[in-house]
């Protein structure tokens, strides 16, 4: 069994999954259909100083290496548990405006409402790969759950995990903050499958917020 993600930018229509041998020869081609999905647009109001932050080339390289890594051992198991009890203020896939201006970006994770200092917990077992601050992401913890499944947790006020250490589902890995490019205390977190952002709401129940923040 394998996991085959579909990226936000994949065009809808007919496609195929190819099974290759060690030399790259196609053993089997399985037809699939990518369904069209429409995502809403969301404006984020942010202090211009925070909005202008950018990751350094070294930070980009570190994050890319994490996303592209695939470990053989499987630590994860279903069901996953949400890292916070808070509702979603911003779901996966929304088209982002920043201070009213289009960014050309999609929201590649989910934002959950939470008070500053709330404990953030690992959604399932894994090994911590990153536990450090980044310019845009703020306090960050990234976990490899094995066999291509990874999660990352951003804007933390305090990190409670250590790179190289194994964590179990529900272990506290950090605390909610508003570090990096953030408009206020919340948790942004993302789920990767083989390096592709996928919708965490497909893996667990994440109810949307029914009232504005504040």
């Amino acid at each position: 069994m394998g996991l085959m993600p579909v990226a936000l930018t994949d065009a809808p229509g007919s496609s195929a999954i190819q099974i290759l041998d060690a030399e790259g020869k196609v053993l089997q081609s399985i037809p699939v259909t990518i369904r069209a999905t429409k995502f809403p647009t969301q404006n984020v109001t942010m202090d211009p100083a925070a909005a202008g932050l950018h990751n350094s080339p070294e930070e980009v390289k570190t994050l890319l290496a994490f996303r592209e890594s695939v470990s053989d051992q499987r630590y994860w198991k279903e069901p996953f548990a949400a890292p916070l009890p808070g509702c979603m203020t911003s779901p996966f896939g929304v088209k982002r405006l920043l201070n009213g201006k289009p960014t050309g970006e999609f929201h590649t994770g989910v934002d959950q409402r939470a008070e500053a200092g709330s404990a953030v917990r690992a959604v399932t077992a894994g090994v911590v790969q990153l536990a450090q601050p980044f310019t845009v992401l703020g306090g960050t913890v990234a976990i490899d759950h094995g066999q291509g499944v990874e999660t990352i947790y951003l804007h933390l006020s305090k990190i409670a995990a250590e790179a190289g250490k194994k964590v179990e589902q529900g272990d506290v890995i950090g605390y909610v903050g508003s570090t990096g490019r953030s408009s206020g205390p919340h948790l942004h977190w993302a789920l990767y499958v083989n390096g592709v952002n996928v919708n965490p709401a497909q893996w667990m129940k994440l109810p949307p917020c029914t009232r504005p923040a504040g």
Side-chain angles (χ1 to χ4, degrees), residues 111-185:
D111 290 346
Q112 283 190 260
R113 178 177 292 166
E115 294 184 1
S118 300
V120 177
R121 301 176 185 274
V123 301
T124 190
V127 176
V128 177
Q129 297 298 311
L130 301 175
Q132 65 188 78
F134 287 85
T135 303
V136 172
L137 311 184
T140 299
V141 172
I143 302 175
D144 173 19
H145 303 289
Q147 296 185 346
V149 178
E150 299 173 319
T151 51
I152 192 167
Y153 312 78
L154 313 182
H155 308 305
L156 303 174
S157 61
K158 181 180 178 181
I159 293 170
E162 183 179 346
K165 299 293 186 180
K166 188 174 185 294
V167 292
E168 301 295 337
Q169 184 181 66
D171 285 352
V172 176
I173 57 173
Y175 298 88
V176 170
S178 184
T179 55
R181 188 191 290 169
S182 172
S183 59

Side-chain angles (χ1 to χ4, degrees), residues 13-204:
S14 299
S15 187
I17 297 173
Q18 292 184 333
I19 300 175
L20 312 178
D21 64 13
E23 285 72 40
K25 180 181 178 181
V26 178
L27 299 177
Q28 186 178 4
S29 183
I30 304 170
V32 296
T33 299
I34 299 175
R35 294 182 297 181
T37 303
K38 292 183 178 180
F39 296 102
T41 298
Q42 183 183 51
N43 181 56
V44 176
T45 302
M46 188 178 299
D47 180 86
L53 293 175
H54 297 282
N55 283 323
S56 68
E58 292 77 15
E59 290 175 324
V60 172
K61 184 177 179 180
T62 297
L63 294 165
L64 185 61
F66 165 70
R67 287 186 57 169
E68 291 182 344
S69 63
V70 178
S71 57
D72 292 333
Q73 185 172 349
R74 173 175 168 170
Y75 301 102
W76 64 274
K77 61 181 180 180
E78 297 182 279
F80 286 9
L84 286 169
C87 57
M88 284 193 301
T89 57
S90 182
F92 176 85
V94 295
K95 298 176 183 178
R96 277 290 175 84
L97 302 177
L98 184 57
N99 294 331
K101 297 180 179 180
T103 64
E105 298 176 352
F106 293 90
H107 196 219
T108 54
V110 297
D111 290 346
Q112 283 190 260
R113 178 177 292 166
E115 294 184 1
S118 300
V120 177
R121 301 176 185 274
V123 301
T124 190
V127 176
V128 177
Q129 297 298 311
L130 301 175
Q132 65 188 78
F134 287 85
T135 303
V136 172
L137 311 184
T140 299
V141 172
I143 302 175
D144 173 19
H145 303 289
Q147 296 185 346
V149 178
E150 299 173 319
T151 51
I152 192 167
Y153 312 78
L154 313 182
H155 308 305
L156 303 174
S157 61
K158 181 180 178 181
I159 293 170
E162 183 179 346
K165 299 293 186 180
K166 188 174 185 294
V167 292
E168 301 295 337
Q169 184 181 66
D171 285 352
V172 176
I173 57 173
Y175 298 88
V176 170
S178 184
T179 55
R181 188 191 290 169
S182 172
S183 59
H186 72 289
L187 175 67
H188 171 100
W189 69 281
L191 173 64
Y192 304 121
V193 173
N194 294 327
V196 175
N197 289 100
V198 296
N199 190 352
Q202 294 177 322
W203 292 64
M204 68 192 73

